[in-house]
Amino acid sequence: MPNILREKVASGELATVMAAHNPLSARLAEEAGFDGIWASGFELSALYGLADVSLISMTQHLDMMRAMAEQMELPIVADIDTGFGNAINVIYAVQQYERAGASAVVIEDKSFPKVTSLVADGRQDLLRIEEFQGKIEAARAARRDPDFVIVARTEALIAGLGQDEALKRARAYEAAGADMILVHSKQKTPDEIEAFVKAWDGKAPIALVPTAYPQMTVARVRELKKIGLLIWGNHAVRASVGAMRKTFAQIRKDGGIHGVEGSIASVEDVFDLQGMGKVKDDEKRFLR
Ligand code: SPV
Ligand code: MG
């Protein structure tokens, strides 16, 4: 199967992917028209009620990613955090994720166990540049399909090390063979990221996760150029939390479910998302 994401990267187009944490949220992202799915570690951790600090195992994340891949054609960008250990762990992870149907993996330059990026005063320890280059090279060596996209993510700005360090790391990771560079920032405005994008002198396209600076729109990203991948990082789980909290509170307040009927999805809507129509057709064809 052609890697649609690779084709977009090669043609200099922008791909916009939405976070998902299970096949249902991935299907809703597909329905909304996004170019792909971000198999977010933060979202899956939250789903288990756990902090995004390397508590979820590779198997848990991989199983969910595989369940999504089995149900859709959209490319999946798998968030594999630090690669679950050193370069040896990265080799195994890349083999597993590629086989399970991912189109791309994002590996970040933090030490294992990592701490979620956007938390205030989070402990953010970065690997030595050479060590992370080894992990990128290991990822390249492990992929079977040369079109499988390897994204190197630098957390230099998140760790407060500044733009020079972020650029130095991005250049080193491109030299190690990364297809794309993800640079993350938790500044509340896009200034820090825009400065990085303007200063970026590499050939690899940039990937952004503008969660902390929501003023960054698709239109602005196109103006800035150099950006190949835009990740809406956690909007599936945040939308669900908001909707569930509101609905549950209203049911408690009303002493019944009558008040929420108009604002939640109908049972028929969920039947459609589950493929119940096909089950009924198949029953007619095959059940005797
Ligand atoms: C994720 O969604 O898991 C990410 C993005 O890696 S962030 O949580 O902002 O680090
Ligand atoms: Mg993550």
Side-chain angles (χ1 to χ4, degrees):
M1 201 170 55
N3 187 330
I4 318 166
L5 199 72
R6 166 66 74 177
E7 287 168 10
K8 285 220 169 204
V9 173
S11 66
E13 274 180 71
L14 173 69
T16 305
V17 303
M18 173 51 75
H21 46 257
N22 58 21
L24 181 66
S25 51
R27 185 160 287 169
L28 290 167
E30 186 171 45
E31 184 183 285
F34 293 101
D35 300 314
I37 301 299
W38 168 239
S40 158
F42 172 83
E43 290 222 347
L44 191 60
S45 302
L47 220 66
Y48 279 93
L50 292 172
D52 183 18
V53 292
S54 298
L55 299 178
I56 293 292
S57 71
M58 184 183 91
T59 308
Q60 284 171 301
H61 189 261
L62 183 64
D63 281 350
M64 192 58 88
M65 204 237 49
R66 186 182 290 115
M68 293 194 252
E70 277 169 2
Q71 293 206 16
M72 61 180 46
E73 300 299 323
L74 277 191
I76 299 180
V77 180
D79 173 14
I80 65 167
D81 288 357
T82 63
F84 308 99
N86 66 17
I88 305 305
N89 301 79
V90 167
I91 292 173
Y92 183 62
V94 166
Q95 287 168 342
Q96 294 291 307
Y97 277 81
E98 184 179 2
R99 213 160 280 186
S103 293
V105 285
V106 174
I107 315 173
E108 62 198 47
D109 60 358
K110 291 202 283 221
S111 60
F112 177 91
K114 53 72 86 55
V115 170
T116 195
S117 302
L118 300 181
V119 69
D121 304 321
R123 175 188 58 79
Q124 302 295 347
D125 298 330
L126 268 49
L127 295 184
R128 285 175 298 106
I129 292 179
E130 299 70 31
E131 185 176 356
F132 193 67
Q133 283 182 308
K135 290 172 84 164
I136 295 300
E137 286 171 29
R140 275 185 71 97
R143 69 180 169 194
R144 282 194 300 188
D145 178 355
D147 284 345
F148 185 78
V149 181
I150 293 161
V151 185
R153 162 172 168 175
T154 182
E155 295 281 290
L157 299 177
I158 293 284
L161 301 177
Q163 181 173 300
D164 289 349
E165 181 69 17
L167 283 167
K168 185 171 150 196
R169 284 180 174 261
R171 290 186 193 117
Y173 303 161
E174 181 177 33
D179 299 305
M180 212 183 245
I181 302 295
L182 191 157
V183 56
H184 205 10
S185 165
K186 60 179 175 190
Q187 297 291 316
K188 297 281 184 270
T189 70
D191 303 358
E192 183 177 59
I193 282 295
E194 292 210 3
F196 178 92
V197 173
K198 285 175 190 148
W200 174 238
D201 49 7
K203 286 201 173 52
I206 297 171
L208 296 181
V209 192
T211 309
Y213 47 97
Q215 310 89 322
M216 179 75 85
T217 60
V218 172
R220 181 63 187 144
V221 162
R222 288 196 205 282
E223 271 170 22
L224 286 170
K225 306 205 168 54
K226 303 184 195 175
I227 299 158
L229 179 65
L230 192 54
I231 299 171
W232 303 131
N234 52 28
H235 296 76
V237 78
R238 287 167 63 198
S240 326
V241 168
M244 283 192 268
R245 188 171 275 146
K246 199 162 154 254
T247 304
F248 297 169
Q250 187 163 354
I251 293 170
R252 288 280 297 156
K253 178 168 149 279
D254 294 347
I257 54 177
H258 49 280
V260 300
E261 274 299 307
S263 60
I264 60 175
S266 66
V267 178
E268 287 70 26
D269 192 357
V270 181
F271 284 160
D272 283 346
L273 290 164
Q274 289 175 298
M276 196 54 211
K278 183 170 185 318
V279 172
K280 283 169 81 179
D281 290 346
D282 287 346
E283 279 190 346
K284 282 196 203 108
R285 284 178 68 195
F286 304 121
L287 291 191
R288 318 236 158 107

